[in-house]
């Protein structure tokens, strides 16, 4: 059996990393977690800002058709004038109030005759 020439005590970078994680597990677990949280926070803040900027641009931008609808020489709105204008319109006033009978509920009588006969005692 032939032994290779390997010096005892010389550590490779992988051995050093393994020893460091055994001594300080924060380097292996905690540090990547904290880096992920911090980088994620910056990324999400950028995405949120982009979302609000897109929304602002949509609400501020008006097409030419929308701009034409906003005529600066339009008449002022007066509620009293609108009321009288609506009153002057021809409205169909040929309607009557009609009672619609509801579906009968078991155990409950709604007719006045049934209520009077049950309320007065028979002699």
């Amino acid at each position: 059996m032939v032994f290779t020439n390997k010096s005892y005590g010389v550590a490779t970078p992988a051995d050093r990393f393994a020893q460091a994680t055994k001594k300080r597990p924060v380097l292996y677990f905690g540090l990547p977690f904290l880096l992920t949280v911090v980088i994620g926070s910056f990324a999400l803040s950028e995405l949120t800002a982009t979302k609000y900027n897109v929304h602002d641009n949509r609400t501020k931008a008006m097409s030419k058709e929308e701009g034409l609808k906003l005529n600066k020489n339009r008449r002022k709105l007066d509620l009293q004038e609108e009321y009288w204008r609506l009153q002057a319109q021809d409205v169909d006033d040929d309607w009557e109030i009609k009672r619609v009978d509801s579906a009968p509920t078991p155990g409950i009588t709604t007719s006045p005759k049934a209520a009077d006969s049950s309320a007065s005692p028979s002699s």
Side-chain angles (χ1 to χ4, degrees), residues 75 81-93:
R75 68 179 178 92
E81 288 179 18
E82 289 297 317
Y83 173 77
W84 291 115
R85 187 179 63 82
L86 290 173
Q87 289 296 319
Q89 289 179 351
D90 188 24
V91 179
D92 185 22
D93 287 335

Side-chain angles (χ1 to χ4, degrees), residues 53-117:
N53 288 338
V54 167
H55 177 70
D56 288 343
N57 289 338
R58 281 185 189 166
T59 55
K60 288 179 184 176
M62 287 182 13
S63 67
K64 291 181 181 179
E65 294 174 2
E66 291 172 345
L68 292 175
K69 288 180 184 175
L70 299 176
N71 187 5
K72 295 190 190 252
N73 296 328
R74 63 181 183 258
R75 68 179 178 92
K76 302 273 182 178
L77 178 67
D78 186 17
L79 290 179
Q80 189 172 11
E81 288 179 18
E82 289 297 317
Y83 173 77
W84 291 115
R85 187 179 63 82
L86 290 173
Q87 289 296 319
Q89 289 179 351
D90 188 24
V91 179
D92 185 22
D93 287 335
D94 299 336
W95 54 274
E96 295 178 9
I97 298 175
K98 293 184 180 179
R99 181 181 174 124
V100 177
D101 293 331
S102 59
T105 307
I108 298 175
T109 57
T110 56
S111 66
K113 294 177 183 175
D116 289 340
S117 64

